[in-house]
Amino acid sequence: MLKEEDVAVSNVRIDLTCGMQNPLQNIKFFQNFESNEKFSMPDDHVSHLLPACCQDMIVRVYSKEPELVGPISEAFENFQLKTYGIKTQMRATPEKKET
């Protein structure tokens, strides 16, 4: 059975400086160089390259014991399915390069 002390978790948030708010909502546009009237523009008129979400969350889960990597990975996958309904990409720790 896994215990809390068997696992280390690192949560990292990366955002576009406005948290969950879209930073483009703070940008105003002008019709031309002579115009003094500013206006907002809908996201779909600005660019199709904009992200749907303005914040990413990176969760790193570490096993303190090599033999627990499998059970911890499985538990984290189950947590994701139960909490979010999907299982996101999982990457194993790269092997050390031999020198």
Side-chain angles (χ1 to χ4, degrees), residues 30-90:
F30 295 87
Q31 188 67 33
N32 54 41
F33 285 109
E34 291 80 31
S35 176
N36 291 325
E37 186 178 334
K38 58 186 177 181
F39 61 93
S40 297
M41 191 176 292
D43 294 348
D44 60 343
H45 288 103
V46 177
S47 175
H48 294 289
L49 301 175
L50 297 174
C53 180
C54 298
Q55 184 178 66
D56 287 332
M57 178 80 161
I58 299 171
V59 179
R60 294 184 179 120
V61 180
Y62 301 95
S63 171
K64 294 182 180 178
E65 300 295 331
E67 63 273 5
L68 295 176
V69 170
I72 289 172
S73 294
E74 186 178 333
F76 185 58
E77 287 177 2
N78 290 337
F79 167 78
Q80 291 180 81
L81 286 171
K82 182 179 177 183
T83 306
Y84 305 111
I86 60 169
K87 178 177 66 173
T88 60
Q89 185 175 4
M90 303 262 309

Side-chain angles (χ1 to χ4, degrees), residues 9-25:
V9 178
S10 168
N11 292 309
V12 178
R13 291 184 195 273
I14 300 173
D15 67 29
L16 300 175
T17 70
C18 294
M20 294 300 287
Q21 183 182 1
N22 184 345
L24 289 179
Q25 293 174 345

